[in-house]
Amino acid sequence: MKKRMLKIWDWLDDRTGVSALVVPLATHLVPPGAKWSYVFGSATLFCFMLQVVTGIGLSLLYQPSVETAYESLKYISNQAVLGSWLRGMHYFGASGMILLMGIHMIRVYLMAVYKFPREMQWITGIVLLLLTIVMGFTGQLLRWDDTGVWSAVVAAEQLGRIPLIGKSIAYFLIGGETIGGYTLSRFYAYHVFVVPALLFAFTAFHVYLVFRNGISEPPKRGRLLGKEDYRDWYEGMLKKEGVPFFPFAAWRDVVFGTVVILIITFLAIYKGAPELLGPPRPDSIYANPKPDWYLSWVFAIFALMPPKIESYVIAFGPLIILFLMFAVPFLSKRKERHPMRRPWAIIGVVFTVMVIIAFTVEGMRSPWSPKFDTKPLPADIVDNSSAEVVKGAQLFYDKGCLYCHKIGEYGGARGPDLTQIEYRLTSSEMVIRIVNGGGNMPAFGGSLSESELAALVAFLKAKKADK
Amino acid sequence: MSECKRDNKELGRRSFLTKLSFWLGGISAGIVTIPVIGALLQPLIKRKKQVWRSVGKNNDFEVGKTVLVTFEDSDPDEWAKTISRTASWLRKDNENEYTAFAINCAHLGCPVRWEANSELFLCPCHGGVYYKDGSVASGPPPKPLTRYMVRLNKGNVEIMTQALPITTLKDG
């Protein structure tokens, strides 16, 4: 029996050439020092395969029409057999892919792998990063909930800032001049056909380049190799001390990849994909569109940037960043690869990561958003010994001041905290600020009567939040 | 000599067949691509004619009040009617005059809310604020709220549909 199976396999293998193709790939030599820091690229690939598989699963249940998309996703999340697990894996797989891709990119940059002869690996890597982010964004719209649909409007507005053709590109993105049936069709086509096809093509090319140029050796301080001598040195090093990729390096990839899959599974089961926020209504004013976490930092930058320069930053910022990223292999002429001999690379990476993390945290907090759901101030904060003060407290809530200002633990963070305002400003200074506005505060002179103004000031002077 | 002749003929034949393959392949690919490009560019080619939509009777609206009205986009496809609606903040300025604002923030398009007590439009996304005339009070928006054309037609208040308002670089 075993002999017969072997015979069958031998016949198949001879006719199809599977071994002749696979074995050289699996056993190609790699530097022996390539260890755990090298696993992130293949982990990203694991996530991509997970996304393809779970995406196919979702496509068996999801109904891409404007009337059924949202309801079918609710069905998947709440009623389909293991549906919430499936959807959760797809969501966290996307997050995982972006996170691992970022780490992979940092490792590659710090070890100068983008230098000769692997420039094209860096370039194709940037393309893959962009395609992955586009997948994340188009996937968010396909939830076809209020946030998803309104996010398409926000994206269209950003594209609209592109000089000359911005408006056309914006309408191209949403499939027409208003959100409609074609918006969903278009995003479905992008997310399920167009971008995945490009991802497959560029991933295959990226991996092919790894085989062609070899996996990079851990850099060594002072080892300066360039166009004239790197390839010869690399071949010699492999001959002398290279090890077959499978199983000596591959096992780490599989171990780490498995850990990643398990973490994603755990998150899918216990945390679950984002809650669906009601069916899409382009005529609703209650949507509060926000991107998923990995684009939160961009959202924060939009809110915090000086308005005067913002349109130019939206228009040209991405182009400049893209240009610089693609230019990395060509900007550096030095041969040193070790991070410790390239301090500016380390500083640049740390700074960039810190900036992105800081803006991501701020983006998730969104302190610039008015706090529409705030409640009236409780009696122990309002000094109720005076009718005017009580009136002022009521006005503070009714006029929406509390949306933007905090008193004690109540209110929003758009404007300054007013808990101790009575020690910082005199009554007349308060009047001037309320009437004229200033900074990010609108002028209320036109909507407050003199007696209302006096009541507000009386309240601000007399409140008990800090006593 | 006959050897040379045969070689030349062979080269000519190969060149001809190569050209033939490339040209026919290119023509086939081109023909197949044309209708796909048509589908791809439809949003830019097939612009819809904007139309007047009734949002209520003149008598229904109170002078000085800003209310939310909704209407159907121009020429929605049958299968997309549920999604093809837009809203507007409509204010009756006096007995025969109205102002209609798009609900889309001029910053990045998020829906703005009218706060009657403050007489301000507020945007939840990035903290943009507009006065009641639509002008920018504070925050990131680069220009005022977009307005819709409004008219009275035989006692009906009508709003002219328009494309999603997109803020361009020269607006900013």
Side-chain angles (χ1 to χ4, degrees):
Chain A
M1 181 58 177
K2 194 171 176 181
K3 197 171 282 184
R4 186 171 305 148
M5 294 295 293
L6 273 178
K7 228 172 171 182
I8 292 172
W9 167 251
D10 281 344
W11 180 86
L12 272 175
D13 192 39
D14 178 67
R15 303 305 193 270
T16 61
V18 171
S19 289
L21 178 70
V22 170
V23 170
L25 293 179
T27 59
H28 79 284
L29 298 181
V30 301
K35 297 201 188 304
W36 288 104
S37 65
Y38 285 66
V39 299
F40 297 102
S42 59
T44 304
L45 187 57
F46 268 61
C47 280
F48 177 50
M49 293 188 288
L50 173 77
Q51 290 306 91
V52 172
V53 171
T54 53
I56 291 171
L58 284 172
S59 74
L60 293 167
L61 299 168
Y62 180 78
Q63 313 252 324
S65 90
V66 292
E67 293 197 348
T68 59
Y70 177 75
E71 294 299 325
S72 71
L73 200 56
K74 269 179 65 179
Y75 173 83
I76 290 168
S77 296
N78 301 319
Q79 295 174 62
V81 180
L82 304 179
S84 100
W85 180 347
L86 176 64
R87 191 185 154 220
M89 289 198 83
H90 200 65
Y91 171 75
F92 287 110
S95 299
M97 194 169 167
I98 288 176
L99 188 61
L100 291 163
M101 190 173 263
I103 297 173
H104 180 50
M105 187 181 177
I106 289 171
R107 199 279 296 180
V108 162
Y109 180 76
L110 286 177
M111 291 188 177
V113 184
Y114 59 83
K115 293 185 179 177
F116 179 89
R118 300 183 181 86
E119 296 92 333
M120 274 306 289
Q121 268 143 278
W122 174 266
I123 288 171
T124 53
I126 300 300
V127 172
L128 287 167
L129 176 68
L130 297 175
L131 292 172
T132 301
I133 291 172
V134 169
M135 283 297 276
F137 175 72
T138 52
Q140 189 186 0
L141 178 121
L142 287 184
R143 281 174 217 157
W144 207 241
D145 62 358
D146 225 6
T147 292
V149 172
W150 273 99
S151 293
V153 174
V154 175
E157 288 285 348
Q158 291 172 51
L159 293 177
R161 300 303 210 276
I162 294 172
L164 300 179
I165 58 176
K167 230 169 187 175
S168 293
I169 295 183
Y171 295 140
F172 177 88
L173 176 77
I174 62 173
E177 289 183 331
T178 54
I179 298 289
Y182 290 118
T183 309
L184 177 59
S185 304
R186 202 151 275 253
F187 273 71
Y188 187 76
Y190 299 151
H191 190 78
V192 176
F193 298 110
V194 177
V195 181
L198 293 170
L199 271 171
F200 274 112
F202 276 90
T203 299
F205 190 40
H206 193 69
V207 173
Y208 157 77
L209 289 171
V210 173
F211 285 112
R212 170 178 162 74
N213 295 313
I215 288 177
S216 63
E217 74 293 347
K220 190 177 185 180
R221 264 182 272 211
R223 182 167 63 203
L224 306 178
L225 297 160
K227 284 191 185 74
E228 59 277 4
D229 47 4
Y230 179 88
R231 280 210 158 106
D232 288 338
W233 172 86
Y234 186 79
E235 294 299 328
M237 179 267 295
L238 285 189
K239 274 200 178 76
K240 192 163 29 154
E241 55 194 34
V243 297
F245 174 70
F246 184 91
F248 295 104
W251 74 273
R252 282 190 207 88
D253 290 339
V254 174
V255 167
F256 186 70
T258 303
V259 168
V260 167
I261 299 293
L262 289 176
I263 289 172
I264 287 170
T265 303
F266 176 85
L267 288 169
I269 294 173
Y270 291 100
K271 188 158 170 26
E275 185 187 354
L276 295 169
L277 299 171
R281 293 179 50 210
D283 57 348
S284 162
I285 55 166
Y286 295 109
N288 188 352
K290 283 183 180 179
D292 284 338
W293 67 267
Y294 40 83
L295 286 173
S296 267
W297 62 281
V298 178
F299 208 66
I301 289 176
F302 289 150
L304 299 170
M305 210 186 320
K308 278 190 166 61
I309 65 170
E310 181 160 25
S311 283
Y312 296 95
V313 174
I314 294 176
F316 301 113
L319 296 179
I320 291 169
I321 290 171
L322 267 186
F323 174 81
L324 290 176
M325 287 175 88
F326 279 120
V328 162
F330 309 103
L331 292 177
S332 172
K333 294 303 176 188
R334 310 230 244 125
K335 298 174 182 179
E336 180 63 67
R337 293 171 195 246
H338 199 283
M340 285 307 164
R341 293 284 183 93
R342 294 163 46 240
W344 287 111
I346 298 177
I347 291 168
V349 166
V350 171
F351 176 77
T352 301
V353 170
M354 282 175 62
V355 164
I356 290 179
I357 289 175
F359 277 119
T360 298
V361 170
E362 202 70 349
M364 286 166 132
R365 280 186 51 231
S366 309
W368 49 79
S369 283
K371 196 169 176 178
F372 292 112
D373 58 354
T374 191
K375 302 288 193 295
L377 293 166
D380 61 322
I381 287 185
V382 181
D383 174 7
N384 51 16
S385 64
S386 155
E388 188 179 40
V389 169
V390 171
K391 179 185 175 187
Q394 189 64 44
L395 282 167
F396 194 79
Y397 173 75
D398 289 343
K399 293 290 184 179
C401 309
L402 210 46
Y403 290 162
C404 294
H405 293 288
K406 256 192 174 204
I407 292 192
E409 293 307 307
Y410 302 86
R414 178 81 174 101
D417 189 322
L418 300 188
T419 306
Q420 312 233 350
I421 191 68
E422 66 270 29
Y423 302 113
R424 292 207 309 272
L425 296 184
T426 64
S427 295
S428 56
E429 283 168 337
M430 288 181 189
V431 168
I432 290 169
R433 175 51 60 97
I434 295 170
V435 169
N436 293 338
N440 267 324
M441 178 164 171
F444 284 83
S447 63
L448 284 169
S449 68
E450 276 192 30
S451 65
E452 287 175 328
L453 189 51
L456 264 178
V457 170
F459 159 69
L460 290 172
K461 299 292 288 184
K463 61 180 167 47
K464 298 185 282 190
D466 62 324
K467 291 158 187 168
Chain B
M1 175 59 72
S2 63
E3 198 73 22
C4 281
K5 213 168 201 174
R6 191 183 314 113
D7 282 350
N8 282 342
K9 196 178 289 185
E10 184 68 19
L11 276 178
R13 186 162 183 275
R14 184 176 304 154
S15 170
F16 169 74
L17 292 180
T18 301
K19 287 195 174 80
L20 179 72
S21 300
F22 273 111
W23 274 101
L24 288 186
I27 289 169
S28 300
I31 290 172
V32 168
T33 302
I34 290 171
V36 176
I37 289 178
L40 192 68
L41 297 181
Q42 181 181 270
L44 307 179
I45 295 168
K46 195 183 176 188
R47 302 284 182 145
K48 290 176 175 170
K49 185 189 174 189
Q50 303 298 347
V51 298
W52 290 102
R53 296 293 195 208
S54 176
V55 293
K57 293 197 169 298
N58 191 23
N59 294 338
D60 295 337
F61 298 101
E62 189 179 322
V63 173
K65 275 213 161 180
T66 304
V67 298
L68 188 72
V69 294
T70 66
F71 52 92
E72 203 164 64
D73 296 330
S74 72
D75 193 21
D77 303 289
E78 279 303 318
W79 74 89
K81 279 183 183 286
T82 56
I83 193 76
S84 295
R85 296 192 65 81
T86 297
S88 169
W89 287 111
L90 182 72
R91 178 180 312 129
K92 192 171 188 177
D93 299 314
N94 58 53
E95 194 51 42
N96 294 308
E97 280 177 1
Y98 289 84
T99 309
F101 298 98
I103 63 170
N104 307 90
C105 183
H107 176 224
L108 286 173
C110 295
V112 303
R113 310 179 189 192
W114 169 250
E115 294 293 328
N117 286 332
S118 321
E119 297 188 356
L120 296 169
F121 294 100
L122 298 179
C123 178
C125 283
H126 306 101
V129 185
Y130 306 83
Y131 291 115
K132 63 184 180 182
D133 64 351
S135 61
V136 180
S138 71
K143 66 168 188 174
L145 284 178
T146 302
R147 296 189 179 195
Y148 286 99
M149 292 170 62
V150 200
R151 74 177 184 183
L152 269 177
N153 183 26
K154 297 168 185 164
N156 287 321
V157 184
E158 294 182 346
I159 287 180
M160 166 80 79
T161 61
Q162 68 179 356
L164 181 73
I166 298 288
T167 300
T168 59
L169 187 60
K170 60 176 184 286
D171 294 319

